[in-house]
Amino acid sequence: MKSDVLKKKGKAILLGNEAIVRGALEAGVMFAAAYPGTPSSEIGMTFAKLAKSVGAYFEFSSNEKVATEVAAGAAFSGVKSLVCFKHFGFNVASDSIYPLAYNGVQAGMVIVVADDPGCHSSGQSEQDSRYFPRIGHMPLLEPADPQECKDFTKFAFSLSEKLNIPVIIRITTRVAHASSVVNLGKILKGKRKGKFKKGNAHRTMPPDMINVHAELNDKLHKLSVNNKINFVKPGKGRVGIIANSVAYHYVCEAMKELKLNLPVLKLGLTWPFPETVVKNFIKNLDKVLIVEELEPVIEKEVSAVAKDTNPKLKVIGKTHIPDICELRQELVMKALAKITNKKYSVPEEVKLKLPKRLPTFCPGCPHRATFWSVKKAVPKDTVFGGDIGCYIMGIFPPTNMTDFVISMGASEGVSHGVAKATDKKPVAFIGDSTFFHAGMPGLVNTVFNKSNMMTVCLDNRWTAMTGHQQNPGTGMTAMGDKTKALKIEEIGKAFELDNVTVVNAYNLKDTTEKVKDVYKKSGSSLIVSKGECRLQFMRRARHKGIKVPVFEIDPEKCTKCGICLEKFGCPAIQRTKDGTYFIDKAVCWGCSACAQVCPVNAISPVKKKK
Amino acid sequence: MKKEFNIIVTGVGGQGVLTLAGIIARTALDQGYDVKASELHGLAMRFGSLEAHLRIGKKLSSPLISFGKANLVIAHEPLEVLRAVKYANKKTVFVFDTRKQVPIISYIEKTPYPSLSNIKKRLQKFSKNIISLDASDETEKATGSTIMANTYMLGRLAAEEILPFKKQAFVKTLRKIVPKYAIDDNLRVFELGYKSKK
């Protein structure tokens, strides 16, 4: 679907993430970098799509830390820059983010972090990134909807240039992936090239660093913003509400439903904490409800401010608003009804007993085939390390293999630890993009510290889970230019692993045999299992008009053993009520793996009609 | 139109749930409405359940629809329509494609997939306004693939006049946002869906 990000003027429906790009363009940003991660990915993808047409530079860097450094390099050179990633990406990038305020920037720099309360697309931990800006000495802006995404991004650049430090924007899933009508401003043609300014290196070195620290504290202490960023929605009574981000909209919705008209302080800048604004808001209140997702960050600050300003004020927060998962307006209604003594039965969620529908490998996915082949090749009690990517689904039935998932690139390090702490030989699964992102140090360590383990790299050539972005193995940059397609097996050889073997994911028997051989050998080994992401393969085929042969099950040969469906688990295979197995031709993507797992050769390509 | 119109669009990741929601949203904007929508990407899209919220009205706040407040539930898959009943009330209209995509887990864990008649029976407890249509089957017959089944459903929605927009408004949006190479097929399938109302 075409996006309206570049629409000249008027109104457009934009996704929160697209609105951030629009805001950056209206601020004259011509330089951005990212590593994809849901719910932030569309920021990078939108930049990638339009960069050439507006004369901007965009790259998907090899990881978030590198992306941050790239954007910093631009900002040190007087070129405005934006960098974005999901919350776990901030963890990776943090080492390079924290010194940036010390060094200072010569042009506006904005860091966008997208949190995922409720973990819709985040297998690791539920995280609130609002603590980071405190450590990094940077202001934190929290837009609530696409309009604010655009406006706050534009504002963030002016704030960054005023303070000479980067500004952080934090969004959440329901902001990043909300779409709504946005009033557009004018796109500015900004600077794409600048001049590096020398003379700042001492600012991140002792002893100057300490003075710079004081300077930063002072800057943030004195910061105040206009009343469009932090504003009061007027109301009546001595009960007030303070809310941030999308929670503000839940508050408005809940008040409409409960027919309440309480004053609401909506905070857009939450660090440095706007003490004066809060003081003025709470001084005449008896009760204040703090509505924020996840941790009680604002609540603690309000409690501290209230101690001096209004010691009798009852600050109500996490006792009434959950500190886990995401909020909904119903949860806010419940809390509001309770503290205002309103008799109101909040609609409960109706839950029917239904079969679950967990995410799964796509039809024809090379990962399903590789998991299958490896499972056949190694002992039953093998510990399987997991990593971040589509293959995280190796944890779900029927694959049921992955024993742990920690963070990007962690499969190898943890597996190495398991190998050293047990007498077992673990197998670590890691995808290509994850390998380039943070998997190389782990692999080097297996050589350096004489590991006895096997790494299986699931090399599908794309950063698939987040929407098929390019990575160092793709052979193409984010802007569509040809570049080297790095071969993981060559990297393995350069790292001097004891064994490096390449297999074709779609040849199951051969893969099983090769894995078996390699697993027998001691030392650190790497299997690179190649098979392009089937979604991308099919998209290309469709576009070029190439028909991919689909498969069918011969009911005469089929013994109804169920291996293809209940054990292998391809979504194209189905079973009728009477137990007949068949392939849904609309879903089959012709990979042939099911034909290879069938013990009686009952599956074959559909014969062409004569 | 009433003050607001709330639509839940559900289906299985990959079925075009977000595209359908996007087409309705843009049509609403062209007609001068405020629009708020919420969707999910990433892990949720790999053949998992997908649920998009779309609100059309004058001045809206939350991007999410409250439980019991949906005017319309559009489901690309029969099991997924049942998952959306929490948003339904007595007046809600359910529109769903009858083509099943049985989740693998239901075979493995032996949790049976309900029959279509059972699904309708369970829906009736919430609202009697149920429209089931063979969008995927008919689209497959016409084009050899189910990819445009969502366009077929849009055609039917236009014919049912549930949404406050005229048929031509949807056609205009399709022309605006569907890539050139696919527009003719999409308009043909849209028309098929439109005519499926007897």
Side-chain angles (χ1 to χ4, degrees), chain A residues 114-141:
Chain A
D115 280 359
D116 189 14
C119 300
H120 295 287
S121 292
S122 307
Q124 272 183 238
S125 62
E126 193 171 41
Q127 182 180 308
D128 193 328
S129 297
R130 291 180 295 162
Y131 291 112
F132 285 129
R134 293 153 192 253
I135 316 173
H137 302 91
M138 294 172 190
L140 171 66
L141 290 164

Side-chain angles (χ1 to χ4, degrees), chain B residues 6-173:
Chain B
N6 295 323
I7 310 163
I8 295 280
V9 189
T10 67
V12 179
Q15 280 191 315
V17 168
L18 302 184
T19 310
L20 183 63
I23 292 170
I24 301 173
R26 297 218 188 178
T27 312
L29 173 66
D30 282 348
Q31 305 287 315
Y33 290 107
D34 186 16
V35 175
K36 286 240 167 173
S38 184
E39 51 194 58
L40 293 171
H41 299 207
L43 188 60
M45 287 181 79
R46 297 285 177 263
F47 283 78
S49 297
L50 197 56
E51 175 189 291
H53 295 229
L54 175 58
R55 308 184 64 204
I56 299 167
K58 291 277 151 61
K59 215 173 162 242
L60 304 162
S61 308
S62 174
L64 297 178
I65 296 168
S66 300
F67 298 137
K69 295 275 183 185
N71 300 88
L72 171 63
V73 172
I74 309 169
H76 288 69
E77 206 275 347
L79 182 61
E80 298 312 309
V81 74
L82 278 181
R83 243 184 270 282
V85 293
K86 54 181 176 270
Y87 298 107
N89 56 54
K90 275 181 189 163
K91 287 182 180 165
T92 302
V93 181
F94 293 110
V95 179
F96 72 95
D97 187 350
T98 54
R99 174 81 152 252
K100 289 180 187 175
Q101 273 197 31
V102 183
I104 293 163
I105 196 119
S106 115
Y107 295 116
I108 298 166
E109 290 182 351
K110 300 198 169 65
T111 42
Y113 189 105
S115 68
L116 283 180
S117 59
N118 176 274
I119 288 172
K120 279 186 197 164
K121 214 159 93 203
R122 287 163 89 175
L123 284 179
Q124 271 168 0
K125 280 185 199 152
F126 295 88
S127 162
K128 308 273 185 241
N129 308 317
I130 302 166
I131 301 168
S132 64
L133 65 163
D134 305 327
S136 290
D137 292 354
E138 293 300 323
T139 307
E140 194 177 17
K141 258 189 231 161
T143 65
S145 130
T146 56
I147 286 182
M148 284 173 273
N150 54 354
T151 309
Y152 184 99
M153 298 192 63
L154 187 71
R156 178 62 173 265
L157 285 168
E160 296 285 349
E161 293 177 357
I162 305 165
L163 287 156
F165 318 122
K166 295 253 154 54
K167 180 186 178 186
Q168 256 344 87
F170 291 116
V171 172
K172 204 176 136 197
T173 313

Side-chain angles (χ1 to χ4, degrees), chain A residues 1-4 7 11-13 15 18 38 42 119-123 144-146 173-174 177-181 246 248-250 252-253 256-257 326-330 333 344 347-363 368 389-390 392-393 396-398 464-468 535 542-543 547 565-567 569-571 573-577 582 584-587 589, chain B residues 4 11-13 18-30 32-51 53-55 59-69 77-80 82-87 99-115 122 126 140 143-147 175-181:
Chain A
M1 215 158 60
K2 276 183 226 160
S3 158
D4 281 339
K7 200 172 166 183
K11 290 176 176 184
I13 293 188
L15 206 56
E18 292 173 330
T38 317
E42 296 76 17
C119 300
H120 295 287
S121 292
S122 307
D145 51 43
T173 302
R174 299 295 180 185
H177 290 164
S179 46
S180 60
V181 183
V246 71
Y248 169 72
H249 288 300
Y250 300 151
C252 295
E253 201 69 40
K256 227 188 282 173
E257 188 65 33
E326 62 174 357
L327 291 182
R328 296 185 47 88
Q329 51 248 29
E330 288 87 347
M333 271 179 229
Y344 182 84
E348 290 288 330
E349 182 173 358
V350 181
K351 275 187 181 162
L352 301 181
K353 247 191 125 182
L354 298 173
K356 282 180 282 186
R357 192 188 295 277
L358 298 170
T360 181
F361 299 116
C362 297
R368 180 190 293 106
C390 288
I392 203 170
M393 294 181 294
F396 294 139
M465 175 65 96
T466 47
H468 301 96
L535 253 172
R542 219 171 274 146
H543 218 84
K547 284 253 183 261
L565 175 57
E566 283 96 332
K567 297 273 161 44
C570 177
I573 301 174
Q574 304 266 308
R575 195 182 65 205
T576 60
K577 262 200 182 142
F582 68 99
D584 184 343
K585 293 182 184 67
V587 187
W589 289 349
Chain B
E4 59 180 64
V12 179
L18 302 184
T19 310
L20 183 63
I23 292 170
I24 301 173
R26 297 218 188 178
T27 312
L29 173 66
D30 282 348
Y33 290 107
D34 186 16
V35 175
K36 286 240 167 173
S38 184
E39 51 194 58
L40 293 171
H41 299 207
L43 188 60
M45 287 181 79
R46 297 285 177 263
F47 283 78
S49 297
L50 197 56
E51 175 189 291
H53 295 229
L54 175 58
R55 308 184 64 204
K59 215 173 162 242
L60 304 162
S61 308
S62 174
L64 297 178
I65 296 168
S66 300
F67 298 137
K69 295 275 183 185
E77 206 275 347
L79 182 61
E80 298 312 309
L82 278 181
R83 243 184 270 282
V85 293
K86 54 181 176 270
Y87 298 107
R99 174 81 152 252
K100 289 180 187 175
Q101 273 197 31
V102 183
I104 293 163
I105 196 119
S106 115
Y107 295 116
I108 298 166
E109 290 182 351
K110 300 198 169 65
T111 42
Y113 189 105
S115 68
R122 287 163 89 175
F126 295 88
E140 194 177 17
T143 65
S145 130
T146 56
I147 286 182
R175 285 196 186 278
K176 236 195 258 178
I177 67 159
V178 175
K180 261 190 188 147
Y181 70 92

Side-chain angles (χ1 to χ4, degrees), chain A residues 474-502:
Chain A
T474 310
M476 195 200 292
T477 67
M479 286 169 72
D481 294 324
K482 258 192 136 178
T483 182
K484 283 182 185 167
L486 297 187
K487 293 188 191 77
I488 291 167
E489 60 276 20
E490 296 303 325
I491 294 170
K493 283 177 202 161
F495 286 176
E496 300 184 34
L497 269 95
D498 298 311
N499 307 288
V500 177
T501 301
V502 176

Side-chain angles (χ1 to χ4, degrees), chain A residues 119-361:
Chain A
C119 300
H120 295 287
S121 292
S122 307
Q124 272 183 238
S125 62
E126 193 171 41
Q127 182 180 308
D128 193 328
S129 297
R130 291 180 295 162
Y131 291 112
F132 285 129
R134 293 153 192 253
I135 316 173
H137 302 91
M138 294 172 190
L140 171 66
L141 290 164
E142 295 191 70
D145 51 43
Q147 183 70 52
E148 284 195 351
C149 280
K150 185 191 79 81
D151 296 343
F152 282 23
T153 304
K154 206 169 159 184
F155 171 71
F157 277 97
S158 64
L159 186 59
S160 169
E161 300 215 320
K162 188 174 127 196
L163 302 173
N164 297 319
I165 56 180
V167 170
I168 299 172
I169 293 178
R170 181 241 191 192
I171 50 176
T172 61
T173 302
R174 299 295 180 185
V175 177
H177 290 164
S179 46
S180 60
V181 183
V182 175
N183 290 310
L184 304 173
K186 213 178 145 209
I187 292 178
L188 274 188
K189 179 92 186 157
K191 252 204 297 189
R192 160 76 183 82
K193 298 269 180 180
K195 193 167 180 278
F196 180 84
K197 191 183 167 229
K198 287 176 175 279
N200 274 331
H202 64 97
R203 293 175 61 88
T204 51
M205 293 292 285
D208 282 11
M209 205 169 69
I210 310 303
N211 298 330
V212 176
H213 193 172
E215 176 192 311
L216 284 175
N217 286 346
D218 190 49
K219 258 187 202 177
L220 291 178
H221 186 71
K222 285 181 183 154
L223 177 68
S224 69
V225 292
N226 66 38
N227 53 8
K228 268 179 96 176
I229 303 294
N230 296 323
F231 64 87
V232 176
K233 181 179 184 279
K236 281 182 188 151
R238 296 179 64 87
V239 178
I241 302 170
I242 300 178
N244 69 330
S245 189
V246 71
Y248 169 72
H249 288 300
Y250 300 151
V251 167
C252 295
E253 201 69 40
M255 287 213 296
K256 227 188 282 173
E257 188 65 33
L258 295 172
K259 299 190 172 63
L260 286 169
N261 180 28
L262 309 176
V264 186
L265 171 61
K266 197 274 194 185
L267 294 180
L269 177 100
T270 55
W271 186 257
F273 194 72
E275 283 184 25
T276 316
V277 177
V278 172
K279 262 182 205 166
N280 285 332
F281 183 73
I282 60 171
K283 65 183 177 207
N284 295 320
L285 296 177
D286 297 332
K287 275 188 210 172
V288 64
L289 175 71
I290 317 294
V291 186
E292 58 187 323
E293 288 181 310
L294 299 177
E295 310 292 335
V297 179
I298 296 174
E299 184 186 339
K300 299 271 189 232
E301 295 287 349
V302 173
S303 301
V305 173
K307 251 184 201 163
D308 295 330
T309 312
N310 182 355
K312 282 188 183 157
L313 178 75
K314 212 172 163 211
V315 181
I316 307 163
K318 292 300 168 188
T319 48
H320 288 59
I321 299 286
D323 57 2
I324 53 160
C325 205
E326 62 174 357
L327 291 182
R328 296 185 47 88
Q329 51 248 29
E330 288 87 347
L331 294 166
V332 181
M333 271 179 229
K334 216 178 198 169
L336 267 180
K338 207 167 164 191
I339 66 163
T340 56
N341 299 317
K342 272 229 165 199
K343 276 212 174 116
Y344 182 84
S345 69
V346 175
E348 290 288 330
E349 182 173 358
V350 181
K351 275 187 181 162
L352 301 181
K353 247 191 125 182
L354 298 173
K356 282 180 282 186
R357 192 188 295 277
L358 298 170
T360 181
F361 299 116

